[in-house]
Amino acid sequence: TRERTLATMALCMSTSAFVAKAVRPAVRASAEEKPSSVPKRVTNALAAAALSASIALAGPVSSANAEIRLPPLDPDPERCERAYVGNTIGQANAVSDRILDLRKCTFTDKDLSTKTLSGALMVDADFKGANMTEVVMSKAYAVGADFTGANFTNAVVDRVTFDGANLSNANFYNAVITGATFEGTNLTGAQFEEALIGKEDVKRLCDNPTLVNETRFQVGCRN
């Protein structure tokens, strides 16, 4: 009935007012409390996510067109060793609880096969002759890194910045290459046989003057 409905509404309104009055002091008290400190591991996770997001939003990052502000070198003395473990969270989007900082590390002739190096910072790192078979490198930032003679067979090279890097004699047999940049990259003698290369990547590779002879045919250059 209408009378019962009105009574129910009045009861609900009075109850809401009572709850609001009771809760208000608790809210005020909690607002006055000193915020607790954020655990360091949470801070690291937020920093890693923010860096990955900045690179993701920019798309393929070209060092000639955009400046990426990188964090200071990770002070962890074991940071280079983390490459042998890699990232195991959010492989495609380079999401991790910690930045994989491999800058200036040396991996000459080392075995990094099947590792997930998504979101890794590889600036000026040495990967000469490294075994990178089936490695996953989504959104890695490898400006100025040396991959001379590295083996990328069956690797996933997704949105990697290779600007200024040395990829001479690197082998990308049957690799998947999408969204990568190669400005100022040395591609002399690199091999791309059977590689699956994105349309825009083909254009960027073919614009590189160090891509010559048979390698241009492998990539799919028209001239």
Side-chain angles (χ1 to χ4, degrees):
T1 65
R2 181 178 179 184
E3 289 77 6
R4 181 176 299 177
T5 301
L6 291 175
T8 302
M9 291 176 61
L11 178 61
C12 291
M13 292 176 65
S14 62
T15 302
S16 299
F18 173 78
V19 171
K21 183 177 180 180
V23 171
R24 191 177 299 116
V27 173
R28 184 183 300 112
S30 62
E32 293 173 355
E33 292 179 357
K34 184 178 180 181
S36 59
S37 59
V38 180
K40 186 175 182 180
R41 63 183 179 82
V42 176
T43 304
N44 289 336
L46 292 174
L51 179 64
S52 297
S54 66
I55 294 177
L57 290 174
V61 180
S62 170
S63 59
N65 299 322
E67 180 182 354
I68 299 298
R69 299 185 64 180
L70 301 177
L73 280 175
D74 187 340
D76 184 355
E78 302 295 325
R79 67 181 179 84
C80 294
E81 299 301 313
R82 292 184 60 227
Y84 299 105
V85 179
N87 287 332
T88 57
I89 306 175
Q91 297 180 9
N93 291 313
V95 177
S96 175
D97 60 347
R98 183 176 178 183
I99 297 171
L100 186 57
D101 193 349
L102 307 180
R103 287 174 288 180
K104 301 182 183 298
C105 294
T106 300
F107 301 100
T108 303
D109 297 325
K110 299 300 183 181
D111 186 3
L112 297 173
S113 59
T114 72
K115 297 299 183 290
T116 297
L117 305 178
S118 297
L121 301 179
M122 300 176 168
V123 178
D124 297 329
D126 185 348
F127 293 90
K128 290 193 294 289
N131 180 7
M132 306 189 76
T133 301
E134 297 184 12
V135 82
V136 176
M137 288 177 63
S138 295
K139 300 180 184 175
Y141 192 69
V143 172
D146 191 347
F147 295 95
T148 301
N151 184 3
F152 288 96
T153 297
N154 297 328
V156 176
V157 182
D158 174 39
R159 292 163 287 180
V160 178
T161 303
F162 283 121
D163 297 355
N166 189 346
L167 291 172
S168 59
N169 298 314
N171 184 7
F172 288 92
Y173 179 82
N174 203 44
V176 175
I177 303 174
T178 57
T181 62
F182 303 91
E183 293 188 19
T185 306
N186 184 356
L187 296 169
T188 304
Q191 298 295 309
F192 295 88
E193 186 177 356
E194 300 296 332
L196 178 61
I197 307 174
K199 183 177 180 180
E200 293 302 316
D201 296 82
V202 169
K203 293 179 181 179
R204 285 189 282 268
L205 284 166
C206 293
D207 285 341
N208 189 303
T210 64
L211 192 76
V212 297
N213 303 326
E214 181 185 355
T215 307
R216 295 184 67 81
F217 175 76
Q218 294 174 353
V219 170
C221 303
R222 296 184 178 181
N223 51 44

